[in-house]
């Protein structure tokens, strides 16, 4: 069934401890080659990482509980229809704030629905001392018991097509036209205490980017064939991948 709305834009939020907001803003602006917007919100808990050109796909929120690692905002063309669809698919409403709908997926991952706010211009790839980079993928880390139902939920909510990735435990969920962030659903080997969200960044030179991020205070957690698991200075995980920043595909494929 075709949804009576469209997902216009997706923004990834880094949910980090509120008392580390300033240090996280400093780290992530340098790591992504962006500039920081003025802080906003009742408690100055929000800021946007502004790309060199185009619309932003990455924001920072200071929170009391950073256990999920982050969340996503969907800009949709019909907010009411999108909310109804999410609930129909098994989401739980957390807060109804009129033009901001806060929900959780069936497995418990937080997300928000908001009206269309940006033009939908793909952000420019940034040049950093560690090479060209773009934050273009949100990874959903899901336990085996929830993986099938969560995949169906996010596909049903977005209307995007699923596709196989380079490893059996990964499923790509992406819009037909690549502009904002896409999803990578990762099936974990064991059922976790709760699902998590982390950010993936496509790099022109992964080894150079890893080295640069380490100078900023990050550390290497694990090395894999196509990606490196990193920890930012707050202890939150993210990944640097060998995907081409322009195409999103692995550089050797």
């Amino acid at each position: 069934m075709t949804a009576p709305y469209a997902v216009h834009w997706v923004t990834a939020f880094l949910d980090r401890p509120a008392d580390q907001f300033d240090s996280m803003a400093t780290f992530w602006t340098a790591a992504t080659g962006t500039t920081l917007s003025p802080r906003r919100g009742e408690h100055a808990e929000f800021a946007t990482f502004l790309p060199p050109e185009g619309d932003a796909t990455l924001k920072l929120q200071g929170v009391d509980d950073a256990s999920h690692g982050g969340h996503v905002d969907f800009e949709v063309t019909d907010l009411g229809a999108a909310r109804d669809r999410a609930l129909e698919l098994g989401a739980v409403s957390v807060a109804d704030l009129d033009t901001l709908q806060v929900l959780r997926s069936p497995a418990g991952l937080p997300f928000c629905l908001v009206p269309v706010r940006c033009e939908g211009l793909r952000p420019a790839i940034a040049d950093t001392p560690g090479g060209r980079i773009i934050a273009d993928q949100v990874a959903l880390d899901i336990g085996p018991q929830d993986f099938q139902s969560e995949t169906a939920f996010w596909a049903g909510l977005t209307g995007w097509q699923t596709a196989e990735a380079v490893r059996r435990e990964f499923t790509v969920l992406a819009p037909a036209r690549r502009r904002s962030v896409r999803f990578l659903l990762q099936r974990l080997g064991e059922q976790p205490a709760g699902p998590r969200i982390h950010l993936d960044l496509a790099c022109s030179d992964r080894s150079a980017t890893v080295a640069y991020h380490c100078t900023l205070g990050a550390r290497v957690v694990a090395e894999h064939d196509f990606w490196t698991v990193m920890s930012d200075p707050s202890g939150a995980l993210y990944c640097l991948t060998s995907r081409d920043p322009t195409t999103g595909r692995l550089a050797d494929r």
Side-chain angles (χ1 to χ4, degrees):
M1 181 179 68
T2 302
Y5 62 90
V7 173
H8 174 76
W9 196 253
V10 182
T11 304
F13 277 77
L14 301 175
D15 294 341
R16 298 293 187 265
D19 61 359
Q20 297 182 46
F21 190 100
D22 289 337
S23 62
M24 287 295 92
T26 298
F27 171 82
W28 281 102
T29 50
T32 57
T34 55
T35 57
L36 195 70
S37 73
R39 293 177 66 164
R40 60 189 181 278
E42 184 178 357
H43 304 289
E45 70 271 35
F46 297 106
T48 301
F49 296 104
L50 302 172
E53 295 178 2
D55 289 311
T57 58
L58 186 62
K59 297 183 180 182
L60 177 65
Q61 180 174 5
V63 297
D64 294 329
D65 179 8
S67 60
H68 288 289
H71 71 276
V72 292
D73 274 15
F74 294 98
E75 294 187 17
V76 293
T77 55
D78 187 324
L79 186 59
R83 179 181 182 274
D84 291 346
R85 177 63 170 159
L87 297 175
E88 176 187 317
L89 291 168
V92 175
S93 177
V94 176
D96 182 347
L97 304 175
D98 192 20
T99 57
L100 172 65
Q101 297 291 322
V102 184
L103 304 103
R104 291 187 184 273
S105 74
L109 285 170
F111 67 99
C112 297
L113 300 173
V114 298
V116 172
R117 294 171 174 170
C118 72
E119 292 185 57
L121 301 176
R122 187 169 185 262
I125 298 163
D127 288 306
T128 74
R132 300 171 70 244
I133 193 169
I134 189 169
D136 67 342
Q137 184 167 270
V138 172
L140 311 182
D141 304 323
I142 304 166
Q145 296 176 18
D146 298 317
F147 188 79
Q148 186 173 358
S149 60
E150 281 292 288
T151 301
F153 171 79
W154 293 106
L157 179 66
T158 60
W160 298 350
Q161 295 296 312
T162 59
E164 293 183 356
V166 293
R167 299 278 291 268
R168 293 180 59 185
E169 66 267 31
F170 296 129
T171 297
V172 174
L173 186 63
R177 183 182 175 191
R178 187 170 178 269
R179 294 184 298 175
S180 59
V181 296
R182 69 177 192 175
F183 286 178
L184 180 73
L185 293 92
Q186 179 175 359
R187 183 174 55 244
L188 303 177
E190 298 180 355
Q191 191 70 15
R196 289 180 54 84
I197 293 176
H198 72 262
L199 188 68
D200 287 352
L201 300 98
C203 313
S204 61
D205 185 334
R206 179 160 56 106
S207 61
T209 305
V210 168
Y212 174 56
H213 283 207
C214 287
T215 69
L216 299 173
R219 66 179 184 88
V220 175
V221 176
E223 288 278 5
H224 297 277
D225 290 342
F226 308 118
W227 74 98
T228 302
V229 182
M230 305 289 292
S231 172
D232 73 16
S234 77
L237 300 180
Y238 67 101
C239 291
L240 300 174
T241 78
S242 295
R243 292 179 299 106
D244 182 276
T246 301
T247 66
R249 299 178 180 178
L250 285 174
D252 60 350
R253 287 177 176 244

